[in-house]
């Protein structure tokens, strides 16, 4: 029932003195959607996932009071493509945004446009990473490109404005301000509250620069991975914490061990005096101590891991605080009951697994993404779902909750009934593609299929290699079993599934060639 119709009934009732005939609230209220997304937030760094790394009490609330997905995945583990998939409900090779560099076509249908056209008030606040003015929103305040942690510029309705303060906090404050002061109480809302944190280069908020100072973190068991038993792609990537992360940009040294200036000064220059003094007080003694007594070999790698993970987790602390603030507001304002709150990330991230930071690969840590949803009306507290849902499913799911029919052309499926416990039927395999190569971190082009237990991937372009993993016997994906006679039947089954999915979603080698050509041309013309 649309809002106008409801209003007319209410007016009619008042008009003829039959106030009691106002329709039941329950029947007429469409749910609000608060879609919280952070950037590069590994599920390993959410305490509800049980990895024991850090505490995220506010994000955990969503798991306690709603559902946690233990095998939510993305279709393409990189920022802008992931955002294009979630907006359009279509795979990258269909919506056209296959990598971070090629343009996104805002003119195509997306779920906020459909919600807006059906009476929702919509807003987009934070990181979007898609060029051009966002379409489908009544209000938008977005970071240009990657954005800055300190005193970031924003594009407010397309106009560039610099805001003093810390990015994560500004995005939270703006979202709260929108909810409190700009929201139309007569309309359901859909807000995309999208943090930049914990994206590289992991600059913590002023108040958290000393968090974890008294702690030493142990790296994952395969931090010192030598990539034996894996293919060329794992061996030739450039995303090792001890190897590719940089002294200045990542480890925040102003001067590197050879005495050269690192360029971190640029990050410091962006800060105001107070922010800079606070920063220097937290980092500089420690940096000097490190340079004076520099560890070597594995000890140096462990120092780097600790510097990395501490800064990464510090930025997450601010993200979690923000989630707490908006959840509190929903409680205070009485909106909690009728608001679907989603927490996710644009993809997963490596927290030292295989020795890495960053994402891109179809290996679990970056293929999976955290996903937690609270909706008291339909989702039982403490629900856990291990089914293979994907970011491809967000658009059709939100539309389903809003009572809007998803266009045929959307490729995802609504998981509304699955989370409500009304059905157990779900897909048994998902399809993945990755394109951005050659590029930063040098993760080779690949595509693949995953089931609950197995994974098959094909790395192509400058190599032609297959990899296959059994997640039950090898959850850390340390041994490529492609070609192992013991798995001949599984291999055949996975090839078949892969072909089926490529056909079902409309992917092909020809499309790979097309996107490769466009990518190389785009790079050549830059
Ligand atoms: C930047 C980062 C990379 C990161 C890409 C993509 N380097 O280039 O480490 O992989 O973004 O990230 S940095 O020097 O700018 O920090 S994404 O999340 O936007 O896809
Ligand atoms: Ca990202």
């Amino acid at each position: 029932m649309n809002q106008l119709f409801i209003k007319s009934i209410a007016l009619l009732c008042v008009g003829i003195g039959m106030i009691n005939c106002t329709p039941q609230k329950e029947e007429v209220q469409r749910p609000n959607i608060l879609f919280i997304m952070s950037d590069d937030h590994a599920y390993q760094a959410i305490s509800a996932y049980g990895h024991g790394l850090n505490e995220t009490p506010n994000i955990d609330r969503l798991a306690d009071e709603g559902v946690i997905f233990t095998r939510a995945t993305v279709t393409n583990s990189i920022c802008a493509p992931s955002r294009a998939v979630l907006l359009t409900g279509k795979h990258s090779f269909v919506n056209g945004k296959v990598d971070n560099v090629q343009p996104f076509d805002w003119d195509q249908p997306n779920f906020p446009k459909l919600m807006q056209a059906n009476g929702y008030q919509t807003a987009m606040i934070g990181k979007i990473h898609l060029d051009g003015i966002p379409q489908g929103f009544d209000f938008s305040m977005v970071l240009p490109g990657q954005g800055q942690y300190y005193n970031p510029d924003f594009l407010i309705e397309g106009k560039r404005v610099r805001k003093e303060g810390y990015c994560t906090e500004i995005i939270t404050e703006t979202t709260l301000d929108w909810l409190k002061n700009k929201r139309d109480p007569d309309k359901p809302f859909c807000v995309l509250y999208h943090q930049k944190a914990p994206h590289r280069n992991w600059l913590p908020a002023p108040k958290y620069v000393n968090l974890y100072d008294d702690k030493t973190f142990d790296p994952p068991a395969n931090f010192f991975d030598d990539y034996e038993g894996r293919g060329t792609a794992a061996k030739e990537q450039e995303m090792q914490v001890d190897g590719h992360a940089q002294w200045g940009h990542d480890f925040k040294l102003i001067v590197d061990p050879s005495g050269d200036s690192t360029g971190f000064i640029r990050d410091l220059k962006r800060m105001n005096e107070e922010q800079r003094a606070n920063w220097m007080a937290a980092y500089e003694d420690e940096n000097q101590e490190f340079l004076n007594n520099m560890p070597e070999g594995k000890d140096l790698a462990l120092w780097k891991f600790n510097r990395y993970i501490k800064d990464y987790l510090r930025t997450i602390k601010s993200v979690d605080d923000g989630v707490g603030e908006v959840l509190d507001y929903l409680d205070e304002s009485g909106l909690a009951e009728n608001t679907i709150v989603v927490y996710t990330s644009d993809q997963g991230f490596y927290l030292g697994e295989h020795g890495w930071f960053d994402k891109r690969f179809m290996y679990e840590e970056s293929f999976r993404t955290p996903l937690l949803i609270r909706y008291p009306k339909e989702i039982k507290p403490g629900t856990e779902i291990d089914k293979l849902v994907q970011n491809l499913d967000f658009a059709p799911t939100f539309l389903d909750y809003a009572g809007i029919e998803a266009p045929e052309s959307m490729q995802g499926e609504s998981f509304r009934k699955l989370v409500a416990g009304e059905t157990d039927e779900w897909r048994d395999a998902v399809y993945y593609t990755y394109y951005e190569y050659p590029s930063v971190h040098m993760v080779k082009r690949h595509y693949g299929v995953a089931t609950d237990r197995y994974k098959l991937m094909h790395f192509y372009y400058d190599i032609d290699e297959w990899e296959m993993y059994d997640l039950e016997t090898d959850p850390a994906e340390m041994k490529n079993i492609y070609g192992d006679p013991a798995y001949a039947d599984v291999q055949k089954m996975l090839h078949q599934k892969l072909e089926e999915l490529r056909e079902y979603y409309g992917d092909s080698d020809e499309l790979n060639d097309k996107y490769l050509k466009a990518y190389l041309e785009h790079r050549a013309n830059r």
Side-chain angles (χ1 to χ4, degrees):
M1 213 185 303
N2 75 27
Q3 211 69 32
L4 198 69
F5 181 59
I6 296 157
K7 265 195 197 159
S8 344
I9 295 185
L11 282 176
L12 190 72
C13 293
V14 175
I16 55 177
M18 290 172 59
I19 295 165
N20 286 342
C21 91
T22 307
Q24 285 280 301
K25 232 182 170 189
E26 257 13 47
E27 284 167 23
V28 298
Q29 262 191 347
R30 288 182 292 172
N32 306 304
I33 295 173
L34 175 63
F35 181 26
I36 314 172
M37 189 160 90
S38 49
D39 193 322
D40 295 357
H41 192 170
Y43 57 84
Q44 307 93 296
I46 290 179
S47 36
Y49 279 94
H51 290 259
L53 200 57
N54 60 335
E55 294 299 324
T56 48
N58 298 299
I59 297 170
D60 289 5
R61 263 187 74 182
L62 300 177
D64 294 342
E65 298 167 14
V67 57
I68 184 164
F69 290 83
T70 55
R71 197 90 192 294
T73 64
V74 294
T75 63
N76 183 355
S77 182
I78 185 151
C79 193
S82 168
R83 293 161 200 274
V85 168
L86 83 86
L87 286 168
T88 62
K90 292 174 187 162
H91 269 282
S92 306
F93 48 88
V94 176
N95 71 47
K97 182 67 183 166
V98 299
D99 52 50
N100 269 346
V101 300
Q102 296 184 65
F104 174 65
D105 173 15
W106 272 109
D107 288 341
Q108 62 189 309
N110 69 32
F111 83 86
K113 287 188 194 178
L114 286 162
M115 300 196 82
Q116 203 180 27
N118 282 276
Y120 270 76
Q121 189 188 12
T122 60
M124 163 71 232
I125 299 158
K127 184 167 175 183
I128 183 76
H129 204 174
L130 297 168
D131 290 340
I133 309 251
Q135 290 183 26
F137 302 99
D138 296 311
F139 172 75
S140 73
M141 173 170 131
V142 299
L143 292 163
Q146 296 285 6
Q148 298 284 343
Y149 275 105
Y150 278 82
N151 311 320
D153 285 349
F154 283 93
L155 298 169
I156 305 180
E157 309 290 6
K159 196 169 157 269
R160 204 170 177 115
V161 178
R162 187 166 165 159
K163 297 236 171 198
E164 190 85 353
Y166 184 66
C167 187
T168 308
E169 293 167 3
I170 295 169
I171 292 172
T172 300
E173 283 157 18
T174 308
T175 302
L176 280 169
D177 177 59
W178 188 87
L179 286 168
K180 288 177 187 168
N181 305 317
K182 307 215 167 69
R183 191 170 63 82
D184 177 348
D186 293 332
K187 283 183 170 183
F189 66 82
C190 173
V191 189
L192 277 56
Y193 160 41
H194 288 189
Q195 293 291 6
K196 163 192 169 63
H199 193 274
R200 193 183 183 190
N201 62 340
W202 320 295
L203 298 184
K207 66 174 164 187
Y208 290 133
V209 288
N210 291 115
L211 188 69
Y212 307 119
D213 267 0
D214 51 359
K215 237 185 120 136
T216 304
F217 288 89
D218 290 328
N222 59 359
F223 180 63
F224 293 106
D225 197 350
D226 60 6
Y227 315 112
E228 268 307 300
R230 251 64 49 71
T232 311
K235 296 185 174 92
E236 294 190 352
Q237 47 57 43
E238 294 181 0
M239 45 194 250
Q240 284 161 308
V241 174
D242 184 21
H244 302 108
Q246 298 163 10
W247 288 119
H249 190 54
D250 298 305
F251 301 127
K252 284 87 179 181
L253 296 184
I254 298 171
V255 174
D256 74 14
S258 65
D260 290 341
S261 149
T262 62
F264 188 70
I265 206 81
R266 279 197 301 273
D267 292 69
L268 291 170
K269 276 197 182 139
R270 178 134 201 136
M271 298 177 189
N272 64 33
E273 241 172 81
E274 195 187 338
Q275 292 163 341
R276 194 159 43 239
N278 177 70
W279 183 277
M280 294 299 276
Y283 284 80
E284 260 319 275
D285 284 355
E286 221 180 274
N287 289 351
Q288 282 313 317
E289 160 70 20
F290 168 75
L291 290 168
N292 292 340
N293 302 290
M294 227 178 95
E296 286 173 13
K298 286 198 165 178
D299 290 336
L300 177 59
L302 292 175
W303 182 89
K304 289 180 177 178
F305 172 74
N306 267 272
R307 180 51 72 94
Y308 161 49
I309 203 73
K310 286 183 186 181
D311 282 340
Y312 179 85
L313 296 177
R314 285 166 181 151
T315 67
I316 286 174
K317 181 78 177 132
S318 299
V319 173
D320 188 65
D321 286 353
V323 172
E325 285 176 47
V326 294
L327 290 183
D328 285 349
Y329 174 70
L330 294 182
D331 286 339
E332 287 156 22
S333 60
L335 287 166
E337 184 68 13
N338 197 40
T339 300
I340 298 164
V341 183
V342 179
Y343 186 87
T344 191
S345 168
D346 61 340
Q347 13 64 208
F349 211 69
Y350 295 94
L351 302 185
E353 296 85 0
H354 305 290
W356 297 338
F357 64 101
D358 216 65
K359 54 257 177 177
R360 299 161 192 266
F361 277 111
M362 196 193 171
Y363 303 129
E364 283 299 280
E365 291 82 0
S366 47
F367 177 44
R368 278 176 58 186
T369 198
L371 179 60
L372 309 95
I373 304 179
R374 184 184 78 178
Y375 182 33
K377 286 185 178 167
E378 290 190 19
I379 305 173
K380 280 205 200 81
T383 303
E384 192 175 309
I385 288 185
D386 63 1
K387 293 275 196 280
L388 294 159
V389 301
Q390 287 199 291
N391 57 345
L392 186 68
D393 302 321
F394 290 156
T397 303
F398 297 155
L399 291 172
D400 190 2
Y401 278 122
I404 302 164
E405 203 175 329
E408 273 290 306
S409 59
M410 282 193 177
Q411 300 183 302
E413 304 287 336
S414 166
F415 50 70
R416 180 179 179 179
K417 287 206 170 92
L418 186 71
V419 268
E422 287 171 21
T423 180
D424 208 29
E425 259 174 55
W426 195 247
R427 61 167 79 91
D428 63 358
V430 288
Y431 183 55
Y432 181 85
T433 61
Y434 174 77
Y435 304 85
E436 198 179 293
Y437 177 88
S439 179
V440 58
H441 302 305
M442 297 303 272
V443 173
K444 292 185 190 290
R445 289 166 181 259
H446 59 293
Y447 60 89
V449 61
T451 67
D452 56 347
R453 176 162 176 186
Y454 300 105
K455 201 181 280 178
L456 174 71
M457 314 174 205
H458 184 216
F459 291 88
Y460 64 97
Y461 174 47
D462 57 351
I463 56 170
D464 178 8
E465 289 181 21
W466 290 87
E467 293 187 23
M468 191 169 111
Y469 295 91
D470 179 347
L471 298 173
E472 197 169 292
T473 59
D474 179 26
E477 295 163 300
M478 301 295 282
K479 188 168 179 274
N480 177 13
I481 51 167
Y482 192 79
D484 181 340
Y487 284 93
D489 288 349
V490 175
Q491 189 171 307
K492 205 172 143 204
M493 175 274 288
L494 289 173
H495 269 293
Q496 215 166 355
K497 278 216 181 304
L498 182 64
E499 280 325 303
E500 275 166 27
L501 288 181
R502 292 189 91 197
E503 199 184 317
Y504 177 71
Y505 290 122
D507 199 15
S508 62
D509 291 350
E510 289 69 43
L511 271 182
N512 284 345
D513 286 347
K514 177 187 126 179
Y515 285 119
L516 171 65
K517 265 200 205 101
Y519 179 76
L520 296 176
E521 262 167 38
H522 192 89
R523 273 171 64 96
N525 295 334
R526 258 194 314 192

